[in-house]
């Protein structure tokens, strides 16, 4: 497996692979890889001849009070895991490589941004100002650096997944976005690098997120068409975690990410929650098709 740290080096490598007729897949990550990430990698290996995994803790998607400095980093451990799976390239650029003006005080960061409007007004976007602008900007940069035919993303980050699908469609990028279902622990908790921050008690209580979105899915599939009733079903479970502080529990259209009041037969919806345990923020969701009859 090649370790590449520069954009020029990554682009040259991708050009060579393309010249050989290979299909290229990219799995963008923040690193500190766990089984959830590795599931994305395994899917990429099935989808393409050549797989690049990027490890880049992107500063532009972290807010001023978020955990950028503390975010777990383990590049050597990540490298071992990816090499064992047969990944072709680990792309691990520096902040300066991705954002050449990051240290210029007069310019105060990137000169160019990529934004997808409207889809960040609800769910996580309502509470993390600028987060998705940072995501869409860095993913666009990674696409240009790695030149993939396929981008593989986890559906656990549901709002991100939907926004990136719109990004590719709206900007006419010739890239297929593949979504991979959430990988969970045995008790249902979605795997996340932030789970390591939880105390033993918080870890036990954190399963309420999965229980809540499962209750929403069950209610919708059982015929419930009142969105607020579905939200109440989630709230009734979330309140059973005494150490959890609920940020949101919402039901939105799965394509527009806008709130819905009445669930129409055949409609694709997204039931999603975000909960704080101390300083640790966890999210979970369920994509559900409203029954037609």
């Amino acid at each position: 497996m090649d370790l590449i740290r520069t954009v020029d080096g990554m682009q040259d490598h991708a050009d060579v692979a393309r010249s050989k007729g290979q299909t290229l897949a990219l799995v963008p990550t923040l690193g500190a890889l766990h089984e959830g990430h590795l599931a994305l990698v395994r899917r990429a290996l099935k989808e393409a001849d050549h797989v690049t995994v990027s490890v880049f803790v992107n500063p532009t998607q972290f807010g001023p009070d978020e955990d950028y400095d503390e975010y777990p980093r383990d590049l050597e451990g990540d490298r071992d895991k990816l090499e064992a799976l047969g990944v072709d390239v680990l792309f691990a650029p520096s902040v300066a490589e991705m954002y050449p003006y990051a240290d210029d005080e007069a310019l105060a960061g990137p000169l160019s941004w990529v934004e997808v409007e409207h889809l960040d007004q609800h769910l996580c976007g309502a509470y993390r100002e600028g987060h998705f602008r940072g995501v869409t900007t860095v993913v666009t940069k990674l696409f240009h650096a790695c030149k993939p035919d396929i981008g593989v993303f986890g559906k656990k980050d549901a709002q991100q997944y939907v926004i990136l699908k719109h990004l590719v469609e709206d900007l006419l990028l010739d890239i297929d976005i593949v979504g991979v279902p959430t990988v969970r622990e045995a008790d249902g908790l979605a795997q996340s690098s932030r789970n390591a921050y939880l105390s033993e008690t918080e870890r036990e209580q954190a399963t309420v997120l999965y229980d809540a979105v499962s209750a929403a899915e069950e209610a919708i599939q059982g015929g419930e068409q009142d969105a607020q009733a579905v939200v109440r079903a989630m709230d009734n479970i979330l309140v059973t975690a005494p150490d959890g502080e609920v940020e949101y529990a919402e039901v939105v259209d799965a394509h527009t990410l806008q709130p819905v009041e009445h669930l129409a037969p055949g409609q694709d919806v997204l039931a999603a929650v975000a909960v704080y345990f101390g300083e640790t923020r966890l999210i979970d969701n369920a994509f559900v098709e409203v029954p037609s009859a």
Side-chain angles (χ1 to χ4, degrees):
M1 183 180 71
D2 293 318
L3 172 63
I4 300 177
R5 291 193 176 269
T6 68
V7 171
D8 286 346
M10 185 66 243
Q11 290 175 328
D12 289 344
H13 183 99
D15 286 341
V16 171
R18 281 178 169 274
S19 72
K20 296 177 180 178
Q22 295 181 325
T23 55
L24 279 60
L26 170 65
V27 183
T29 80
L30 298 179
L33 303 180
H34 52 65
E35 186 55 37
H37 298 111
L38 300 184
L40 307 183
V41 175
R42 292 188 185 98
R43 178 64 179 273
L45 289 165
K46 292 180 180 179
E47 296 281 343
D49 305 313
H50 179 287
V51 173
T52 295
V53 176
S54 64
V55 170
F56 179 63
V57 184
N58 174 41
T60 66
Q61 70 189 69
F62 288 79
D65 298 321
E66 295 183 340
D67 58 344
Y68 173 72
D69 290 331
E70 293 77 28
Y71 197 85
R73 293 163 170 84
D74 180 19
L75 187 61
E76 287 306 311
D78 294 342
R79 185 176 185 173
D80 291 343
K81 292 173 183 176
L82 296 174
E83 198 159 26
L85 288 179
V87 168
D88 297 280
V89 175
L90 168 56
F91 179 48
S94 66
V95 172
E97 187 69 18
M98 293 298 289
Y99 297 105
Y101 300 101
D103 294 330
D104 190 319
E105 294 182 2
L107 297 174
L111 301 182
S112 302
W113 294 94
V114 179
E115 296 188 65
V116 176
E117 295 187 345
H118 307 302
L119 302 187
D120 62 350
Q121 296 173 340
H122 303 283
L123 305 176
C124 294
Y127 300 91
R128 304 186 69 187
E129 184 178 357
H131 169 71
F132 287 110
R133 182 176 77 158
V135 170
T136 49
T137 297
V138 77
V139 169
T140 301
K141 284 171 152 298
L142 289 169
F143 284 162
H144 285 296
C146 301
K147 302 186 178 183
D149 301 291
I150 299 164
V152 182
F153 297 87
K155 289 187 175 181
K156 181 180 82 76
D157 296 303
Q159 188 170 19
Q160 171 181 282
Y161 168 68
V162 174
I163 286 174
L164 292 174
K165 284 181 69 68
H166 281 280
L167 168 75
V168 166
E169 179 181 349
D170 291 347
L171 297 186
L172 308 181
L173 300 180
D174 190 16
I175 300 171
D176 292 329
I177 300 297
V178 174
V180 177
T182 301
V183 176
R184 301 183 179 279
E185 304 288 354
D187 58 5
L189 180 67
Q191 293 199 350
S192 169
S193 299
R194 291 188 170 97
N195 291 347
Y197 299 160
L198 299 171
S199 70
E200 183 176 347
T201 300
E202 290 169 342
R203 172 63 183 80
E204 292 174 356
Q205 295 179 25
T207 56
V208 295
L209 281 85
Y210 176 59
D211 293 340
V213 298
S214 296
E217 183 173 16
E218 182 177 353
I220 295 168
Q221 291 179 339
E224 182 59 70
Q225 295 184 343
D226 180 355
Q228 285 306 308
V230 177
V231 170
R232 286 195 295 273
M234 293 192 285
D235 284 336
N236 289 340
I237 291 175
L238 294 174
V239 297
T240 64
D243 296 325
E245 180 181 345
V246 179
E247 184 174 71
Y248 69 76
E250 297 185 47
V251 177
V252 300
D253 183 275
H255 303 291
T256 67
L257 300 181
Q258 302 304 302
V260 293
E261 295 182 4
H262 178 79
L263 309 185
Q267 182 180 18
D268 294 319
V269 298
L270 173 67
V273 297
V275 179
Y276 275 95
F277 288 92
E279 298 297 317
T280 304
R281 182 179 184 274
L282 302 179
I283 61 173
D284 208 338
N285 66 78
F287 286 93
V288 189
E289 181 179 352
V290 180
S292 297

